[in-house]
């Protein structure tokens, strides 16, 4: 599906803004540029996080430690100790 500027999508050169985002906006987005016979594309996967979702686990480490774990993207290694923080940030934590 090709996106056109609208109330939902705003295209500004290299930036795509999605307004009133919801779970159905998650997925793969591709930017494709064609100039003469040269075509360049770049794709990204967009994940939508429900910040109000019920989290059924707690952090067993300090808030400062868990904040650092989330910021550094280490939830796959330390998620068992920072389960709530990691899940709220959108990481999948297996207990």
């Amino acid at each position: 599906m090709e996106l056109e500027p609208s109330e939902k999508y705003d295209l500004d050169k290299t930036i795509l803004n999605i307004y009133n985002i919801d779970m159905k906006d998650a997925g793969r987005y591709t930017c494709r540029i064609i100039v003469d016979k040269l075509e360049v594309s770049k794709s990204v996967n967009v994940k939508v996080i429900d910040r109000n979702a019920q989290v059924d686990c707690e952090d067993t480490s300090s808030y400062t430690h868990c904040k650092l774990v989330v910021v550094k993207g280490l939830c796959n290694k330390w998620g068992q100790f920072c389960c709530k923080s990691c899940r709220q940030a959108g990481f999948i934590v297996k207990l």
Side-chain angles (χ1 to χ4, degrees):
M1 172 176 93
E2 189 169 322
L3 300 179
E4 297 291 333
S6 65
E7 289 182 14
K8 178 78 173 169
Y9 302 104
D10 178 31
L11 304 163
D12 181 22
K13 295 187 181 182
T14 61
I15 298 171
L16 168 64
N17 292 303
I18 305 173
Y19 300 102
N20 300 317
I21 196 162
D22 57 36
M23 300 305 277
K24 66 183 176 208
D25 292 312
R28 189 168 186 81
Y29 288 78
T30 301
C31 176
R32 192 173 92 206
I33 299 173
I34 302 171
V35 178
D36 295 326
K37 294 182 180 182
L38 179 63
E39 179 178 334
V40 178
S41 65
K42 178 67 178 174
S43 297
V44 296
N45 287 314
V46 173
K47 177 172 48 172
V48 178
I49 301 167
D50 183 356
R51 298 274 186 207
N52 298 317
Q54 180 78 17
V55 177
D56 59 350
C57 60
E58 294 296 323
D59 292 344
T60 58
S61 190
S62 71
Y63 170 77
T64 305
H65 176 256
C66 289
K67 184 176 179 184
L68 184 60
V69 166
V70 170
V71 168
K72 294 293 185 178
L74 299 173
C75 286
N76 61 338
K77 184 174 182 178
W78 299 100
Q80 64 188 9
F81 304 107
C82 300
C83 178
K84 184 176 182 179
S85 295
C86 288
R87 284 189 178 173
Q88 286 178 331
F91 291 95
I92 297 171
V93 177
K94 295 180 183 177
L95 301 177

